[in-house]
Amino acid sequence: QVQLVESGGTLVQAGGSLRLSCVVSGTIFSINFIRWYRQAPGKQRELVAAIIWGGTANYADSVKGRFTISRDNAQNTGYLQMNSLKPEDTAVYYCNVVVTRRGVVGLEGHWGQGTQVTVSS
């Protein structure tokens, strides 16, 4: 079993900052990828940022220079630091991880329940 618990979403004014957290628990050997997606009302879910085990990160063009993805391997936790927030960043943010589980061959993907971020103008 793998569980993801996301937190940090709230209402914030434009220009403000938030930090989202994604705590992963369960019979995990390693977390290979951590990704943050978001889905705004009426829109498709989009990839915002991703980070691999070694720390290399990638970002959507819309958030480059404003968002920073990071991970704490010892705590099995991923973070998304969001600065200079804009109203168009309003969405439900989802954590997605690809893990290797103890005693299980292959990789598994898991999703969090989502956390709402609302940016007011």
Side-chain angles (χ1 to χ4, degrees):
Q1 292 282 359
V2 177
Q3 297 82 38
L4 280 68
V5 177
E6 300 160 351
S7 61
T10 190
L11 172 65
V12 63
Q13 287 190 333
S17 298
L18 285 176
R19 190 176 81 155
L20 306 183
S21 299
C22 174
V23 180
V24 185
S25 61
T27 54
I28 301 166
F29 179 74
S30 64
I31 302 175
N32 302 81
F33 296 92
I34 299 177
R35 304 183 181 108
W36 287 95
Y37 288 78
R38 67 185 180 188
Q39 187 165 20
K43 294 187 177 181
Q44 289 188 332
R45 191 172 296 189
E46 63 171 348
L47 178 63
V48 175
I51 188 167
I52 64 172
W53 176 263
T56 301
N58 290 285
Y59 301 91
D61 288 342
S62 58
V63 306
K64 279 182 182 176
R66 300 188 299 122
F67 290 12
T68 302
I69 188 171
S70 62
R71 58 189 294 165
D72 183 334
N73 293 332
Q75 299 295 323
N76 285 339
T77 300
Y79 302 98
L80 185 67
Q81 177 67 43
M82 304 186 295
N83 299 328
S84 303
L85 283 162
K86 304 175 181 180
E88 50 264 42
D89 295 319
T90 295
V92 178
Y93 284 71
Y94 297 91
C95 178
N96 169 260
V97 298
V98 175
V99 304
T100 303
R101 289 179 56 195
R102 299 183 189 279
V104 177
V105 176
L107 303 175
E108 294 184 356
H110 297 271
W111 289 89
Q113 80 285 357
T115 185
Q116 176 70 48
V117 172
T118 303
V119 184
S120 63
S121 57

